[in-house]
Amino acid sequence: MSPPSPLPGLLKLVGTPRDGALLRFSIGAEYLKAGDPGSALPHLREAVARDPNHSAAWKLLGRALGEAGKPAEALAAYERGIAVAEARGDKQAAKEMAVFARRLRRSAGGAG
């Protein structure tokens, strides 16, 4: 049996003084883990709005957008995330997002 989701406890913190980029990132990650990218999107968008330099949030936002069937928006999120990660010296995150962005471009070109 899997452990209980931390999602209900995290959601209770929305709108409180503890609400911030990290909380929204965590909520988005939990929704993605549960296979619900649509519910992850508003929280991940809020995470990058609150902290535009949060490269991991950009990466998850790109993933959520891709899983939600929004490849153009996913590509834009990855591109923004790559710029943020490179500016912060986060080479690994930039590399990972570059791979995801390349896959999206390839599938867009192949799918027409």
Side-chain angles (χ1 to χ4, degrees), residues 17 40 107:
S107 65

Side-chain angles (χ1 to χ4, degrees), residues 76-97:
Y78 285 136
E79 288 172 345
R80 178 74 192 273
I82 291 166
V84 165
E86 287 174 345
R88 298 185 71 211
D90 190 351
K91 291 182 174 129
Q92 184 60 35
K95 271 188 209 169
E96 290 172 14
M97 286 186 274

Side-chain angles (χ1 to χ4, degrees), residues 47-48 50-58 80 83-85 87-88 90:
V48 298
R50 288 174 182 242
D51 182 0
N53 294 316
H54 195 303
S55 51
W58 283 109
R80 178 74 192 273
V84 165
R88 298 185 71 211
D90 190 351

Side-chain angles (χ1 to χ4, degrees), residues 7-84:
L7 202 48
L10 292 172
L11 289 169
K12 286 180 187 172
L13 297 174
V14 170
T16 71
R18 298 198 46 202
D19 194 354
L22 185 58
L23 174 67
R24 296 305 183 109
F25 170 80
S26 300
I27 292 170
E30 287 301 318
Y31 274 124
L32 277 176
K33 206 183 295 180
D36 188 353
S39 293
L41 284 174
H43 296 285
L44 293 170
R45 284 188 171 120
E46 184 66 20
V48 298
R50 288 174 182 242
D51 182 0
N53 294 316
H54 195 303
S55 51
W58 283 109
K59 185 169 88 172
L60 270 194
L61 177 59
R63 179 177 150 204
L65 287 162
E67 289 181 15
K70 299 174 186 236
E73 289 179 58
L75 184 56
Y78 285 136
E79 288 172 345
R80 178 74 192 273
I82 291 166
V84 165

